[in-house]
C-alpha cells in the first residue's frame, strides 16, 4: 500500500483502480483512516477521526490526485484544488518529539491533513514532479515517485504489478506463438 515514495502519493492510492476498473475505497471508515495514517509512518499514535474528518481526507485526496494527474497531463492547475491545498497546508504540521531516543510523530487529523498537503506542495513545486508516474499495471492506477537511476520504473511495485504484468506478457507471447504455429499448418 505504501509504494508511492511520498505520503501524498500513497494517499491517492487509497482509492484503487480509479479509471481502469471499478474504483475500490480503502478508506471506508474513520478507523481505516486512523490505521492508514499509522501504517504510513506519518503518525505513531492513532489519529482521532469522525465521518466529517474522513470526508475531508477524501476531499483532500481527490484534490491531490487531480493536481498531480493534471500536471502529468500538462494541464493547468485547478485553482479550487490549489486553494484547498494551500489552506490545508497553512495549519500546523504534525508534532515531533524524541521519546527514549526515538522520534515520535503525533497530532490531530487537521495536522495530518496539513502534513499531506505540505508533502503535495513539495512535490508539485519541485523537479520531483517530473518523476511522478502512474503504474503500468493493467488495472492499477497507483501513483509513485520513480527514484530509479534511469527513471525507467514502470510499476508501483514488482510484487503487486510488475510480476503480474510480466506473467501476462509471457502468456500473451506463448498464445501468439501457438497461434502462429497453428496458422502454418
Ligand atoms: Zn501497480
Amino acid at each position: 500500500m505504501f509504494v508511492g515514495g511520498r505520503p501524498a502519493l500513497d494517499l491517492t492510492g487509497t482509492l484503487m483502480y480509479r479509471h481502469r476498473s471499478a474504483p475500490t475505497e480503502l478508506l471506508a471508515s474513520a478507523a481505516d483512516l486512523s490505521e492508514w495514517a499509522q501504517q504510513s509512518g506519518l503518525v505513531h499514535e492513532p489519529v482521532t477521526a469522525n465521518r466529517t474528518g474522513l470526508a475531508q481526507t477524501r476531499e483532500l485526496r481527490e484534490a491531490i490526485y487531480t493536481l498531480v494527474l493534471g500536471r502529468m497531463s500538462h494541464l493547468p492547475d485547478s485553482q479550487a484544488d490549489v486553494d484547498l491545498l494551500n489552506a490545508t497546508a497553512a495549519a500546523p504540521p504534525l508534532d515531533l518529539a524524541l521519546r527514549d531516543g526515538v522520534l515520535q510523530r503525533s497530532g490531530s487529523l487537521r495536522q495530518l491533513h496539513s502534513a499531506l498537503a505540505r508533502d503535495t506542495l513539495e512535490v508539485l513545486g519541485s523537479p520531483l514532479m517530473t518523476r511522478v508516474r502512474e503504474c503500468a499495471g493493467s488495472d492499477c492506477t497507483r501513483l509513485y515517485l520513480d527514484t530509479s537511476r534511469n527513471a525507467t520504473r514502470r510499476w508501483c511495485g514488482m510484487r503487486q504489478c510488475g510480476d503480474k504484468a510480466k506473467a501476462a506478457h509471457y502468456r500473451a507471447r506463448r498464445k501468439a506463438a501457438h497461434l502462429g504455429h497453428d496458422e502454418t499448418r
Side-chain angles (χ1 to χ4, degrees):
M1 200 192 290
F2 302 97
V3 294
R6 301 290 297 206
L9 298 180
D10 285 333
L11 179 67
T12 66
T14 59
L15 183 62
M16 298 183 77
Y17 317 123
R18 290 167 173 272
H19 47 265
R20 293 195 178 159
S21 55
T24 304
E25 179 61 80
L26 298 185
L27 302 182
S29 69
D32 292 339
L33 169 58
S34 187
E35 199 177 314
W36 179 87
Q38 274 188 284
Q39 285 179 359
S40 75
L42 280 168
V43 288
H44 299 101
E45 289 162 19
V47 172
T48 309
N50 55 23
R51 286 176 72 172
T52 308
L54 175 64
Q56 286 167 347
T57 305
R58 288 189 191 154
E59 190 188 6
L60 176 65
R61 177 185 68 189
E62 296 316 302
I64 296 170
Y65 186 76
T66 303
L67 282 170
V68 172
L69 208 70
R71 287 287 187 96
M72 289 168 74
S73 315
H74 308 289
L75 296 171
D77 291 343
S78 135
Q79 193 55 48
D81 292 328
V82 170
D83 291 345
L84 178 66
L85 266 283
N86 285 345
T88 308
L94 291 162
D95 300 329
L96 300 187
L98 210 55
R99 293 200 190 105
D100 298 324
V102 179
L103 177 66
Q104 295 287 310
R105 298 169 205 268
S106 60
S108 63
L109 186 61
R110 188 161 171 258
Q111 287 172 281
L112 179 76
H113 288 165
S114 177
L116 288 161
R118 284 162 190 248
D119 191 57
T120 311
L121 298 183
E122 299 270 13
V123 172
L124 292 174
S126 77
L128 287 174
M129 190 51 231
T130 62
R131 289 284 192 129
V132 178
R133 311 267 185 268
E134 185 182 59
C135 180
S138 60
D139 53 0
C140 182
T141 52
R142 277 187 181 138
L143 301 178
Y144 61 88
L145 199 63
D146 181 3
T147 53
S148 66
R149 208 160 59 127
N150 299 323
T152 52
R153 183 173 150 197
R154 295 187 56 209
W155 297 288
C156 66
M158 275 320 281
R159 234 185 302 165
Q160 286 95 338
C161 291
D163 290 344
K164 220 161 73 178
K166 284 188 171 172
H169 183 67
Y170 176 72
R171 278 197 303 274
R173 262 190 18 209
R174 273 190 57 148
K175 200 175 162 193
H178 183 69
L179 288 173
H181 181 72
D182 281 347
E183 276 163 19
T184 58
R185 277 201 290 187

